[in-house]
Amino acid sequence: MFLALLELRAARGRFLLMGSVVVLVAALVGIVSGFTTGLGDDTISALRRLPASQLVFSSDAKSDQFARSLLDEKTAAAWRADADTDMTPLGVSITRGTTNRGAEVDLAAFGVDPGSFLAPSVTEGDGLTGATANSLVMSAKLADEGVRVGDTLVIDRLGIELRVVGQTERSSYGHVPVAYVPLSTWQRIRFSTPGTPASANTAIPSQYSALALRTPPSGISTAALDARHATTTLTKEKAYEAAPGYTGERVTMNSIQVFLYLIAPLVVGAFFAVWTVQRQPELALLRALGASRRRLLGHTVFQAALVVVLGTAAGAVLAGAVGLLVGEQVPFSLPAATLAGTMFTVAAVGLAGTALTLRRVTQADPLTMLGANR
């Protein structure tokens, strides 16, 4: 290992250049991973926090279920009678509003029964339980946009006036901050006709987007229930795909990560392949002096490991620094476990690239230094 360190020092310019490439690749993979996680959280964090195991949609909604599915009271009552589990309606729709202080915001209205298990806990103010029908509990993300507890928010084009009574933790749906409202209020937002006065006595359908099941049905399969009531039941995790943009974003970001994982071993392997060709006389000399093939392999792997591991560690620090720099201005999230897993993968594929050079190392011919080529 002394010779390996000596060689690193003698050719420090080349190794620093290679190390810099590894740093940039590792940092880029870490940053992409942070955006992948952050975009996912910004799309489905509200769904992820729902205390439900399954969601029931109408069978005619094959995609974008939260926007297309509609269930009525009759279906809900039939499901409740057959499923023998705790369940409650859920309404989801995206709208816009303006506060009494002039703040214009987009919000994802989640309609819930105030007394159900879907009612959000609050970190400030009051919850929906016992509140009036025009009450609203906002995500902390709306507070970042200038909405405050006690404000009045008017839904654009509908004139529906809501009072912000409480604040819950940060959550969003489809990159839009979530606001929880009573189910009856959500139905007014979803089904009211734009331009109709809010005070008009217009019949509002008693429908909602989905049924949330706290636990799976007991005594009967969900497939049988779906066939009986013309519904489609998805696990909460599978329902993430119904959030707008979630699947496309995941595919795009994961594809970028995969390509970076493929680039890393090629770059590292190409560098050490060229480096090994240039070192053939030195390797032959070591063989002529009695060094074993195993020792030469250890010599090469140690150099590669040092460059890759140190470069990856520096890349992890750089990716973490980027996360701290951007803060909450963009959807970026890089937990320590995710960062560690990503960097471990980068280091592993980088070291795998050095395997391209090992065969040439073991073929170093000691006769080269004894005049065999003269």
Side-chain angles (χ1 to χ4, degrees), residues 42 61 134 143 145 169 203 308 345 347 351 367-368:
D42 206 44
N134 68 334
E145 299 184 16
E169 58 191 357
V308 171
T345 305
L351 290 174
L367 293 178
T368 301

Side-chain angles (χ1 to χ4, degrees), residues 72-83:
D72 55 23
E73 288 285 358
K74 181 179 178 181
T75 303
W79 251 89
R80 188 174 288 106
D82 294 342

Side-chain angles (χ1 to χ4, degrees), residues 253-273:
M253 302 305 291
N254 287 334
S255 298
I256 295 173
Q257 275 190 289
V258 169
F259 277 109
L260 290 174
Y261 286 140
L262 293 176
I263 290 170
L266 294 178
V267 171
V268 175
F271 172 82
F272 279 98

Side-chain angles (χ1 to χ4, degrees), residues 207-225:
Q207 296 177 325
Y208 20 83
S209 304
L211 294 173
L213 279 62
R214 177 176 282 182
T215 58
S218 59
I220 186 172
S221 67
T222 55
L225 287 168

